[in-house]
Amino acid sequence: MDDARRIPCPLRAAASRSPDALAIVGADGPLTYRVLDDRVTAATERVRGLGFAAGDRVALYLPKSERYFVLLMALIRTRCVPCLLSTRLPPQGAASLLERVACRTLISSEEEILEPTDVQRLRPEDLLPDEPVPQAQPRAAEGPWLAADLPATVVFTSGSTAAPKAALHTFGNHYHSALGSNANIGLAPGDRWLHSLPPYHVGGLSILFRCLLAGATVVLPEPGTPLGDAIAESDATHVSLVPTQLLRLLREKGFEKGRLKAILLGGGPIPASLVDEAATRELPIHTSYGLTEMASQVTTTPPGASPAELRTSGRPLPHRELAIAGDGEILVRGRTLFAGYVKDHIVPRPLDTDGWFHTGDLGELDQGGYLRVLGRKDNLFVSGGENVQPEEVEEVLLGLEGVEEAVVVPIPDPEFGARPVAFVRTVGGAKEPQTLERALGSVLPRFKIPVAFHGWPEGYSGMKVDRVSFRKRALRLHRDERTPG
């Protein structure tokens, strides 16, 4: 398949094959594929009637719901490019992203976000007819067709180590990402994927495309529902989790896996102790490595992976390629590789001469082709002439009994240049710094042992580690300790 080839719309194909199968289940009730296709078609007509043109960038700043996905699919079908904004952003932050990607219109119920901009705002109800008229003619499984190179979405990177970047994906990127994932983790009509991630993250967006392609059901949990309860109430067969979510799930009293066939883990380093506990409880976990620029997963472990394999990030899925550079950096390319970073009307694609994207992550491949991610290049720092990779220290900390979360960041030091400090969350009461220091000293060289151990910030519950905020907190604590009382 070359990039110019057209791909049938997965929603239209599913509505033709299984019109009465459930597509989305949420607060507004279940939507069959027939009804979902009718609603997307009606919204598409509204979008066109308002004068939107192919290539127009339209931002979505909405809570997760059935109508969010209806609008998303209608915009793609109209050849517009939905730009997915985090609802955790304050209005000022959201407005700056709108300007960066030259959005024409914002779909949101929030008025405050547009005060400093001249972007047009539409409410969701302006584009969603109350009662879409069912199609009189049978749906054609082969239409509408969408080009593989059609610009489809703009998703912002997490920005955990730098300012978020706006990654442009094509329809072919999402299609081939779903195709490769479904070849590894089986998904079929009747399966129910609990949508436990934000829709504006590539991990949450990819759930929709996988289910559309397979004719499976997307289940939207009630906000605030504990994961274990949501899995049981939704009768979920599949769920995507970041490590923090898995940790919370394992700590829920009375949690049982029910009908779960697959738990896809991603979004950051997965502690070996967490993997081992999940495997001991016979949970069907799949560890993975992915990134926004590759439209979600790059590598994933297969069903029935051994304990040793589950401590890796798996092997490359179909339609992806992966290599390790001479300096240990992970390189990726393939049909899921994004079209570039959006800035105004320019979309540069930062690839080397061989078409590889340099991820900034460090890793190694074992003899079986399984990937082990070692950490971020830009997290590494030098202390007294020695390299310190924070993720290595964190992995050892997380292997200690009672340690559930750990982050290591550098602080400046006049003698060594930088020294590591750690933030640690424990169960059963805080561990004495001397206890942690002695435990690390039996495994790590002295220069890698943190010079201070701080408690976990109260109220911190990020799905991914925000190292910038932890480093700022460490610097503040360091200054306070050095300032005479």
Tab-separated table of all heavy atoms in Angstrom, residues 121-146:
chain	number	residue	atom	x	y	z
A	121	ARG	N	-15.636	30.910	18.004
A	121	ARG	CA	-16.057	29.835	18.900
A	121	ARG	C	-17.429	29.328	18.510
A	121	ARG	O	-18.353	30.105	18.248
A	121	ARG	CB	-16.106	30.288	20.363
A	121	ARG	CG	-16.513	29.148	21.325
A	121	ARG	CD	-16.556	29.625	22.757
A	121	ARG	NE	-17.702	30.460	23.042
A	121	ARG	CZ	-18.866	30.016	23.521
A	121	ARG	NH1	-19.034	28.732	23.772
A	121	ARG	NH2	-19.855	30.846	23.765
A	122	LEU	N	-17.544	28.004	18.451
A	122	LEU	CA	-18.838	27.355	18.260
A	122	LEU	C	-19.105	26.449	19.451
A	122	LEU	O	-18.185	25.862	20.011
A	122	LEU	CB	-18.842	26.515	16.972
A	122	LEU	CG	-18.741	27.277	15.647
A	122	LEU	CD1	-18.598	26.294	14.493
A	122	LEU	CD2	-19.954	28.172	15.435
A	123	ARG	N	-20.357	26.349	19.823
A	123	ARG	CA	-20.738	25.412	20.878
A	123	ARG	C	-20.955	24.028	20.263
A	123	ARG	O	-21.300	23.937	19.075
A	123	ARG	CB	-22.010	25.888	21.563
A	123	ARG	CG	-21.882	27.250	22.249
A	123	ARG	CD	-23.247	27.751	22.644
A	123	ARG	NE	-24.105	27.871	21.476
A	123	ARG	CZ	-25.433	28.023	21.519
A	123	ARG	NH1	-26.054	28.041	22.690
A	123	ARG	NH2	-26.141	28.123	20.415
A	124	PRO	N	-20.788	22.976	21.011
A	124	PRO	CA	-21.006	21.637	20.443
A	124	PRO	C	-22.393	21.491	19.825
A	124	PRO	O	-22.547	20.887	18.758
A	124	PRO	CB	-20.830	20.708	21.648
A	124	PRO	CG	-19.993	21.473	22.604
A	124	PRO	CD	-20.330	22.912	22.414
A	125	GLU	N	-23.395	22.072	20.477
A	125	GLU	CA	-24.767	21.923	19.966
A	125	GLU	C	-24.972	22.620	18.624
A	125	GLU	O	-25.944	22.319	17.914
A	125	GLU	CB	-25.776	22.435	20.991
A	125	GLU	CG	-25.457	23.790	21.574
A	125	GLU	CD	-24.671	23.699	22.867
A	125	GLU	OE1	-23.853	22.762	23.004
A	125	GLU	OE2	-24.867	24.581	23.728
A	126	ASP	N	-24.084	23.556	18.265
A	126	ASP	CA	-24.195	24.197	16.955
A	126	ASP	C	-23.916	23.214	15.822
A	126	ASP	O	-24.313	23.455	14.670
A	126	ASP	CB	-23.202	25.366	16.853
A	126	ASP	CG	-23.509	26.498	17.815
A	126	ASP	OD1	-24.696	26.670	18.141
A	126	ASP	OD2	-22.570	27.188	18.236
A	127	LEU	N	-23.223	22.137	16.136
A	127	LEU	CA	-22.818	21.177	15.105
A	127	LEU	C	-23.480	19.818	15.256
A	127	LEU	O	-23.285	18.940	14.411
A	127	LEU	CB	-21.298	20.986	15.154
A	127	LEU	CG	-20.453	22.238	14.904
A	127	LEU	CD1	-19.004	21.969	15.211
A	127	LEU	CD2	-20.622	22.696	13.467
A	128	LEU	N	-24.246	19.644	16.328
A	128	LEU	CA	-24.839	18.336	16.604
A	128	LEU	C	-26.358	18.439	16.582
A	128	LEU	O	-26.962	18.906	17.551
A	128	LEU	CB	-24.377	17.811	17.966
A	128	LEU	CG	-22.883	17.522	18.098
A	128	LEU	CD1	-22.549	17.217	19.545
A	128	LEU	CD2	-22.467	16.389	17.199
A	129	PRO	N	-27.005	18.021	15.483
A	129	PRO	CA	-28.473	18.016	15.445
A	129	PRO	C	-29.036	17.127	16.549
A	129	PRO	O	-28.457	16.096	16.901
A	129	PRO	CB	-28.786	17.451	14.061
A	129	PRO	CG	-27.547	17.652	13.259
A	129	PRO	CD	-26.412	17.555	14.237
A	130	ASP	N	-30.161	17.545	17.124
A	130	ASP	CA	-30.764	16.760	18.206
A	130	ASP	C	-31.173	15.372	17.747
A	130	ASP	O	-30.922	14.378	18.416
A	130	ASP	CB	-31.992	17.496	18.767
A	130	ASP	CG	-31.595	18.772	19.496
A	130	ASP	OD1	-30.452	18.818	19.984
A	130	ASP	OD2	-32.405	19.704	19.536
A	131	GLU	N	-31.792	15.289	16.601
A	131	GLU	CA	-32.281	14.006	16.097
A	131	GLU	C	-31.860	13.829	14.646
A	131	GLU	O	-32.591	14.214	13.734
A	131	GLU	CB	-33.816	13.935	16.204
A	131	GLU	CG	-34.341	13.940	17.632
A	131	GLU	CD	-33.963	12.686	18.377
A	131	GLU	OE1	-33.708	11.659	17.722
A	131	GLU	OE2	-33.916	12.730	19.618
A	132	PRO	N	-30.676	13.293	14.416
A	132	PRO	CA	-30.254	13.075	13.030
A	132	PRO	C	-31.184	12.113	12.310
A	132	PRO	O	-31.663	11.135	12.896
A	132	PRO	CB	-28.846	12.480	13.171
A	132	PRO	CG	-28.798	11.927	14.556
A	132	PRO	CD	-29.682	12.811	15.377
A	133	VAL	N	-31.469	12.410	11.064
A	133	VAL	CA	-32.370	11.574	10.272
A	133	VAL	C	-31.622	10.329	9.805
A	133	VAL	O	-30.556	10.439	9.191
A	133	VAL	CB	-32.895	12.342	9.053
A	133	VAL	CG1	-33.796	11.442	8.217
A	133	VAL	CG2	-33.626	13.601	9.492
A	134	PRO	N	-32.129	9.128	10.116
A	134	PRO	CA	-31.449	7.906	9.658
A	134	PRO	C	-31.333	7.880	8.144
A	134	PRO	O	-32.207	8.373	7.427
A	134	PRO	CB	-32.368	6.789	10.168
A	134	PRO	CG	-33.147	7.396	11.279
A	134	PRO	CD	-33.336	8.841	10.900
A	135	GLN	N	-30.252	7.303	7.657
A	135	GLN	CA	-30.055	7.217	6.216
A	135	GLN	C	-31.097	6.300	5.592
A	135	GLN	O	-31.380	5.219	6.096
A	135	GLN	CB	-28.657	6.674	5.907
A	135	GLN	CG	-27.538	7.629	6.301
A	135	GLN	CD	-26.203	7.133	5.815
A	135	GLN	OE1	-26.115	6.177	5.048
A	135	GLN	NE2	-25.142	7.793	6.250
A	136	ALA	N	-31.668	6.766	4.480
A	136	ALA	CA	-32.688	5.971	3.794
A	136	ALA	C	-32.052	4.866	2.973
A	136	ALA	O	-32.623	3.790	2.794
A	136	ALA	CB	-33.524	6.875	2.900
A	137	GLN	N	-30.866	5.135	2.453
A	137	GLN	CA	-30.196	4.162	1.595
A	137	GLN	C	-29.237	3.299	2.412
A	137	GLN	O	-28.669	3.745	3.402
A	137	GLN	CB	-29.402	4.889	0.489
A	137	GLN	CG	-30.274	5.735	-0.429
A	137	GLN	CD	-31.268	4.904	-1.197
A	137	GLN	OE1	-30.958	3.789	-1.618
A	137	GLN	NE2	-32.487	5.424	-1.368
A	138	PRO	N	-29.068	2.036	2.012
A	138	PRO	CA	-28.087	1.178	2.700
A	138	PRO	C	-26.689	1.787	2.619
A	138	PRO	O	-26.332	2.425	1.633
A	138	PRO	CB	-28.168	-0.144	1.914
A	138	PRO	CG	-29.478	-0.103	1.211
A	138	PRO	CD	-29.764	1.333	0.916
A	139	ARG	N	-25.927	1.598	3.663
A	139	ARG	CA	-24.564	2.122	3.678
A	139	ARG	C	-23.658	1.284	2.793
A	139	ARG	O	-23.751	0.063	2.786
A	139	ARG	CB	-24.018	2.124	5.114
A	139	ARG	CG	-24.740	3.086	6.029
A	139	ARG	CD	-24.415	2.773	7.481
A	139	ARG	NE	-25.002	3.767	8.366
A	139	ARG	CZ	-26.280	3.789	8.709
A	139	ARG	NH1	-27.111	2.870	8.238
A	139	ARG	NH2	-26.752	4.730	9.506
A	140	ALA	N	-22.775	1.966	2.111
A	140	ALA	CA	-21.798	1.254	1.294
A	140	ALA	C	-20.549	1.016	2.126
A	140	ALA	O	-19.986	1.953	2.683
A	140	ALA	CB	-21.450	2.077	0.046
A	141	ALA	N	-20.141	-0.233	2.211
A	141	ALA	CA	-18.978	-0.564	3.038
A	141	ALA	C	-17.714	0.109	2.510
A	141	ALA	O	-16.779	0.345	3.261
A	141	ALA	CB	-18.781	-2.074	3.076
A	142	GLU	N	-17.693	0.457	1.219
A	142	GLU	CA	-16.467	0.988	0.649
A	142	GLU	C	-16.367	2.503	0.743
A	142	GLU	O	-15.412	3.099	0.276
A	142	GLU	CB	-16.348	0.578	-0.824
A	142	GLU	CG	-17.383	1.233	-1.759
A	142	GLU	CD	-18.695	0.476	-1.786
A	142	GLU	OE1	-18.842	-0.477	-1.003
A	142	GLU	OE2	-19.558	0.819	-2.608
A	143	GLY	N	-17.335	3.165	1.332
A	143	GLY	CA	-17.244	4.618	1.354
A	143	GLY	C	-17.692	5.176	2.687
A	143	GLY	O	-18.339	4.481	3.468
A	144	PRO	N	-17.405	6.447	2.978
A	144	PRO	CA	-16.520	7.285	2.175
A	144	PRO	C	-15.059	6.855	2.319
A	144	PRO	O	-14.664	6.288	3.326
A	144	PRO	CB	-16.730	8.682	2.766
A	144	PRO	CG	-17.087	8.424	4.196
A	144	PRO	CD	-17.883	7.148	4.188
A	145	TRP	N	-14.299	7.148	1.281
A	145	TRP	CA	-12.882	6.805	1.294
A	145	TRP	C	-12.087	7.984	1.839
A	145	TRP	O	-12.436	9.137	1.634
A	145	TRP	CB	-12.399	6.481	-0.119
A	145	TRP	CG	-13.017	5.239	-0.685
A	145	TRP	CD1	-14.208	5.138	-1.342
A	145	TRP	CD2	-12.484	3.930	-0.649
A	145	TRP	NE1	-14.454	3.844	-1.719
A	145	TRP	CE2	-13.399	3.079	-1.302
A	145	TRP	CE3	-11.318	3.372	-0.129
A	145	TRP	CZ2	-13.192	1.708	-1.454
A	145	TRP	CZ3	-11.103	2.017	-0.283
A	145	TRP	CH2	-12.032	1.197	-0.931
A	146	LEU	N	-11.010	7.690	2.523
A	146	LEU	CA	-10.120	8.718	3.040
A	146	LEU	C	-8.696	8.391	2.610
A	146	LEU	O	-8.263	7.243	2.701
A	146	LEU	CB	-10.198	8.781	4.567
A	146	LEU	CG	-11.568	9.157	5.152
A	146	LEU	CD1	-11.567	8.943	6.664
A	146	LEU	CD2	-11.923	10.596	4.824
